[in-house]
Amino acid sequence: MAGNNLLNGAYVAGKSTVKVTTTAVSSYGASIKSYSTVIDGKTYTGNQFTTSVLSSGSKSAVLTVTDTRGKTAKLTSEAITVYAYSNPIITEFTLARKADDDTTVIATIKGNFSPVNGENTKKTTIVVSLPGENSISITPTSGTINTTATFTSVTTDSTLTGSVKITDAYNNVTREAVLPTVAVTMDFYKTGKGVSFGKVSEGEKFEVAW
């Protein structure tokens, strides 16, 4: 058996397939009439074929060969391990100003991705972006993500929308979060035609953050 679409040698559920090539001989002048192979719960005929994508778990191929006399022989291959895979997900992304420093912003990121025996972990990155700031790249060490990124010298008088993107060997996912201005009791816009309560005024309009 030869694997296709492997990730650094690892079989990946929903991605990898197996190419099977079988050679058999019969005796007493008989010839091989049929080949039947069961792998991952599916039956394939012929002495050469490629499976559909595999599901996760330990997989063996069970070959049954029948000759023209009706005699059969069975052989079970060594097992291969197919590692589970699902698209990365972000379960939480928040932006918050530090309690004792409004210009320092803490981004909190939680989520999950499929490690695939560590091979997908090597290819997975987390990038956190905030307007006016350099993006921060984080390399996760496990399939469970629970990390933070810190931005400094962030403006206090503008509402910002930050984003986080998790990219693995196959897919990526993005999520956004809003960072409000610094909290103030009341503020007037620079033209005098806007007023806000609970935040910095950002235009000629009435705003309430409470």
Side-chain angles (χ1 to χ4, degrees):
M1 297 194 301
N4 302 312
N5 301 322
L6 308 186
L7 182 57
N8 278 358
Y11 286 85
V12 184
K15 307 292 183 182
S16 301
T17 62
V18 173
K19 181 178 180 180
V20 177
T21 302
T22 303
T23 301
V25 294
S26 188
S27 57
Y28 301 108
S31 59
I32 302 300
K33 181 180 179 181
S34 65
Y35 298 83
S36 177
T37 304
V38 178
I39 183 169
D40 200 20
K42 297 181 180 179
T43 301
Y44 301 88
T45 58
N47 68 328
Q48 185 171 310
F49 60 89
T50 298
T51 68
S52 55
V53 292
L54 303 171
S55 60
S56 62
S58 179
K59 308 296 177 182
S60 296
V62 180
L63 167 69
T64 301
V65 178
T66 304
D67 68 12
T68 51
R69 299 172 300 158
K71 300 294 184 180
T72 61
K74 284 191 176 183
L75 179 67
T76 301
S77 71
E78 292 185 4
I80 58 173
T81 299
V82 183
Y83 295 94
Y85 176 81
S86 57
N87 293 343
I89 61 171
I90 300 169
T91 57
E92 181 181 329
F93 176 53
T94 59
L95 298 169
R97 297 183 186 273
K98 198 173 179 182
D100 58 352
D101 180 6
D102 288 327
T103 65
T104 297
V105 173
I106 309 297
T108 300
I109 309 102
K110 295 182 181 180
N112 298 280
F113 69 94
S114 299
V116 188
N117 198 36
E119 299 304 332
N120 196 31
T121 305
K122 299 174 186 176
K123 296 179 177 293
T124 301
T125 58
I126 306 166
V127 177
V128 189
S129 302
L130 193 63
E133 303 293 320
N134 292 326
S135 296
I136 297 175
S137 183
I138 302 169
T139 301
T141 57
S142 72
T144 300
I145 298 169
N146 186 356
T147 189
T148 60
T150 302
F151 295 92
T152 58
S153 302
V154 179
T155 180
T156 60
D157 58 2
S158 297
T159 298
L160 303 176
T161 300
S163 65
V164 62
K165 183 177 183 180
I166 300 176
T167 304
D168 72 358
Y170 300 103
N171 293 285
N172 63 75
V173 61
T174 302
R175 187 162 171 175
E176 294 184 339
V178 174
L179 175 71
T181 70
V182 66
V184 294
T185 302
M186 183 175 70
D187 186 56
F188 290 96
Y189 190 55
K190 59 186 178 182
T191 63
K193 297 181 180 180
V195 63
S196 66
F197 294 90
K199 65 182 292 294
V200 175
S201 179
E202 297 182 84
E204 295 181 350
K205 53 187 175 181
F206 178 73
E207 301 172 276
V208 179
W210 292 329

